Amino acid sequence: MTAAHTAASASAAPASGAHSSGTVDRDEVARFSAIAAEWWDPAGKFKPLHRLNPLRLGYIRDTACRRLGRDPLSRAPLSGLSLVDIGCGGGLLSEPLARMGADVTGVDAAERNVKTAAAHAAESGVPVDYSATTAEDLAAAGERFDIVLAMEVIEHVADVPLFVKSCAALLAPGGVLFLSTINRTPKAFALAIVGAEYVLRWLPRGTHDWRKFLRPSEVGAALRAEGLAFRDVTGVTYNPLTDEFRVNPRDLDVNYMGWAERV
Ligand SMILES: C[S@@+](CC[C@H](N)C(=O)[O-])C[C@H]1O[C@@H](n2cnc3c(N)ncnc32)[C@H](O)[C@@H]1O
Ligand SMILES: [Mg+2]
């Protein structure tokens, strides 16, 4: 099975330039750009991200509070903390985290995504600073954050070591990096590609390339090369009978998330 390149994604790609530059794979970004209007539709193409949201928000909030000395039960537990959401898409994480009090910057390589995100945030009255840029450009500009998110992005970038290096550079002293992706296992091929793209048709065909999935050990090695280490990695599993995702620390076979800090 090969990625089906749609006419929409082809026309959204820049007319000139290489296939990729820095961490940006132009085909990948064009694919997301083509469906940018659907970000906030809970039954649309981003349904899996909507379904994952409560789990990952709880994980981010609880971990950030524990590491950065905040009370997870307070009304705005992340207030006073700066956060950057790399590959923010429509802002499904940026917005709720801003509501938790974080000072949120959302960046995405696709201009259409940040436009959708900014329009939604304005409508909701949530302050988020969105811009169309990349981790490497922010890092080069000297930006630093208490919390860096790279959720469901690393399997879409053109250059994994540069992406991890840039995310690491964005961390302020004592900062926490959150990362999630899909494992490169036969089970992930069956569920995340055949299941989600061909059987359930949750995602457009070609959304994921199995070869770009990363094993936790590979992400761990990329982190270590930048002086960071995973402090926790947990699985997130989908149960088709209940149509629910769950945190499952023992099953990293398909979706997983974790957090890292400087060692
Ligand atoms: C699967 S979506 C995840 C969105 C969001 N992080 C979430 O979990 O809800 C991946 C996003 O990463 C963006 N992206 C891909 N490569 C990127 C890069 N090199 N730099 C910044 N954003 C990128 C895409 O445009 C897309 O919006
Ligand atoms: Mg993905």
Side-chain angles (χ1 to χ4, degrees):
M1 278 173 270
T2 57
H5 289 254
T6 63
S9 68
S11 67
S16 64
H19 176 74
S20 67
S21 84
T23 64
V24 178
D25 178 322
R26 295 186 201 284
D27 289 346
E28 287 274 4
V29 169
R31 253 194 299 280
F32 285 105
S33 187
I35 50 175
E38 295 204 30
W39 276 107
W40 286 92
D41 177 357
K45 301 279 193 302
F46 297 107
K47 175 180 164 185
L49 297 178
H50 283 270
R51 303 307 299 258
L52 281 169
N53 240 15
L55 296 184
R56 48 197 199 147
L57 284 167
Y59 184 79
I60 293 165
R61 181 200 56 218
D62 291 351
T63 304
C65 286
R66 207 166 58 241
R67 300 307 297 170
L68 300 165
R70 299 297 198 282
D71 175 4
L73 299 179
S74 71
R75 205 186 56 79
L78 302 183
S79 56
L81 297 174
S82 57
L83 180 153
V84 66
D85 185 3
I86 305 294
C88 63
L92 302 188
L93 290 166
S94 290
E95 256 190 53
L97 291 163
R99 284 187 202 275
M100 291 183 205
D103 180 5
V104 178
T105 300
V107 307
D108 199 285
E111 177 106 45
R112 285 188 66 198
N113 289 342
V114 298
K115 281 192 176 150
T116 300
H120 194 275
E123 219 169 86
S124 320
V126 183
V128 179
D129 182 8
Y130 286 112
S131 56
T133 185
T134 59
E136 59 270 30
D137 285 356
L138 275 187
E143 302 272 357
R144 300 293 178 264
F145 302 87
D146 299 310
I147 301 168
V148 176
L149 303 188
M151 305 297 280
E152 313 298 329
V153 183
I154 195 168
E155 74 276 19
H156 300 287
V157 305
D159 184 337
V160 168
L162 176 63
F163 183 73
V164 173
K165 185 192 192 70
S166 308
C167 290
L170 288 170
L171 279 178
V176 185
L177 167 65
F178 292 90
L179 212 144
S180 69
T181 188
I182 306 175
N183 202 343
R184 199 174 62 264
T185 60
K187 191 164 152 192
F189 184 80
L191 298 183
I193 297 188
V194 179
E197 296 183 13
Y198 290 81
V199 180
L200 296 173
R201 301 197 182 165
W202 276 10
L203 300 171
R205 290 181 188 184
T207 296
H208 286 120
D209 177 347
W210 186 80
R211 295 164 300 179
K212 294 183 83 178
F213 290 172
L214 290 139
R215 298 194 178 122
S217 59
E218 293 165 341
V219 179
L223 290 167
R224 274 196 303 282
E226 299 306 328
L228 306 185
F230 262 142
R231 297 301 197 197
D232 179 55
V233 182
T234 188
V236 179
T237 56
Y238 175 69
N239 180 341
L241 299 178
T242 57
D243 190 26
E244 274 172 358
F245 282 100
R246 279 191 153 197
V247 170
N248 183 345
R250 283 171 308 282
D251 184 353
L252 307 181
D253 288 351
V254 186
N255 290 87
Y256 67 93
M257 61 183 173
W259 65 273
E261 62 185 3
R262 225 171 280 286
V263 286

